[in-house]
């Protein structure tokens, strides 16, 4: 009887030990999987960049090394059990301090990465675009300024550690793809011999108007003038040799309008030798499929846009109206208190 009691006690004791072990194991699993992770070594978050192609072992080791998780082995086991090991995505992650292992896994499985963007606005020169590229804090390496008009103004997503040369290449490929697509669908009878000539004309259109709705109208004027053998007479082409695409910061001088350069469309026939900025997709589309109009002239209307004319007589009337607007503005400016600038240069008279 005593032996049976001892056996029963042994069985119960063993069962209790197993139960306690299971409870402890469950608590441990909960703690390592759902419980709070390590405190961030610095601040309230930890930034970790995972390279493209990294396997689960490399990822786990890096997370442990950076203090995001407690155990690389437990991370790998959890990733395998949940079948997340083959779905972990590369990129730059911002893990909150004390993030549970399950949250770290979810973020990497869902690709919840920090996203960086670079926007090159339409009408920016390559020099200005390279300023933006060089100012990005997440890119590495250096680039030389490429040919004018060779990139597509657009918003590009960046990856921390990506080279500036790689991003520039993406910009150039994007322009080539867009240009090829639009050139293939171009209107018949255009006075443009090549896709590059389309880029040159689109760059002039881009600099002539800041209104998206006016691009087709301005493009139509220039196409009509080229078809008739008229000079383009575009002010932005006078500025480009002076600033190489950067803002002039003053009015155009008479001497600049009379200067004989390959870009002076008041003197040369046809197009200048290169683009004067990087035209966007809409400007390219405008010159390759302009609306059918008889317009040959346009001038500022005082509201930020332009007024168009098909005859020179009407254009002169529009110019006269613009001169009146300019005169009224000059009078209003003269009536306001002015701050004298000592030693201001009296260079050429602006136009």
């Amino acid at each position: 009887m005593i032996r049976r009691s001892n056996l029963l006690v042994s069985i119960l004791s063993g069962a209790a030990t197993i139960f306690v072990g299971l409870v402890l194991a469950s608590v441990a699993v909960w703690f390592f999987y759902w419980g709070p992770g390590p405190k961030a070594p610095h601040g309230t978050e930890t930034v970790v960049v995972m390279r493209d192609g990294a396997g689960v072992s490399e990822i786990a080791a890096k997370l442990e090394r950076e203090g995001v998780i407690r155990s690389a082995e437990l991370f790998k086991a959890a990733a395998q059990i949940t079948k997340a090991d083959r779905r972990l995505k590369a990129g730059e992650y911002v893990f909150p301090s004390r993030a549970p292992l399950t949250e770290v896994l979810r973020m990497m499985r869902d690709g919840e990465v920090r996203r960086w963007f670079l926007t090159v606005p339409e009408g920016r020169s390559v020099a200005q675009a390279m300023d933006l590229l060089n100012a990005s804090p997440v890119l590495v390496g250096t680039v030389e300024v490429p040919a004018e008009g060779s990139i597509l103004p657009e918003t590009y997503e960046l990856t921390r550690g990506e080279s500036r040369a790689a991003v520039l290449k993406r910009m150039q490929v994007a322009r080539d793809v867009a240009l090829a697509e639009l050139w293939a669908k171009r209107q018949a009878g255009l006075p443009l011999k090549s896709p590059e000539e389309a880029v040159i004309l689109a760059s002039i259109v881009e600099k002539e108007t800041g209104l998206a709705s006016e691009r087709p109208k301005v493009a139509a004027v220039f196409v009509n003038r080229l078809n008739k053998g008229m000079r383009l007479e575009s002010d932005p082409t006078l500025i480009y040799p002076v600033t190489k695409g950067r803002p002039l910061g003053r009015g155009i001088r008479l001497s600049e309008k009379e200067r004989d350069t390959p870009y002076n469309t008041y003197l040369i026939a046809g197009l200048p030798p290169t683009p004067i900025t990087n035209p966007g997709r809409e400007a390219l589309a405008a010159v390759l499929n302009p609306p059918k109009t008889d317009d040959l002239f346009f001038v500022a209307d005082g509201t930020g846009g332009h007024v168009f004319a098909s005859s020179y007589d009407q254009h002169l009337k529009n110019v006269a109206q613009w001169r009146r607007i300019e005169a009224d503005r000059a009078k209003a400016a003269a009536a306001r208190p002015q701050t004298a600038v000592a030693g201001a240069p009296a260079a050429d008279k602006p136009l």
Side-chain angles (χ1 to χ4, degrees), residues 183-204:
W183 179 260
K185 300 175 182 178
R186 69 189 181 281
Q187 192 178 107
L190 293 174
L192 301 170
K193 300 173 185 174
S194 67
E196 273 308 315
E197 287 195 352
V199 176
I200 294 172
L201 184 57
S203 74
I204 299 173

Side-chain angles (χ1 to χ4, degrees), residues 198-276:
V199 176
I200 294 172
L201 184 57
S203 74
I204 299 173
V205 170
E206 196 74 83
K207 296 300 287 186
E208 280 284 3
T209 180
L211 300 179
S213 61
E214 281 194 347
R215 290 188 190 113
K217 296 178 181 179
V218 173
V221 167
F222 287 139
V223 167
N224 290 343
R225 292 179 75 93
L226 288 173
N227 278 328
K228 290 180 176 291
M230 298 172 66
R231 294 186 178 92
L232 294 183
E233 299 184 352
S234 169
D235 286 354
T237 64
L238 305 177
I239 298 171
Y240 187 75
V242 179
T243 68
K244 295 303 179 185
R246 297 187 185 279
L248 183 59
R250 56 169 172 76
I252 297 172
R253 293 168 177 161
L254 182 60
S255 63
E256 289 163 346
K257 190 171 182 179
E258 295 175 342
R259 188 175 301 156
D260 187 4
T261 78
Y263 290 88
N264 189 338
T265 53
Y266 282 87
L267 300 179
I268 67 168
L271 298 167
T274 73
I276 60 173

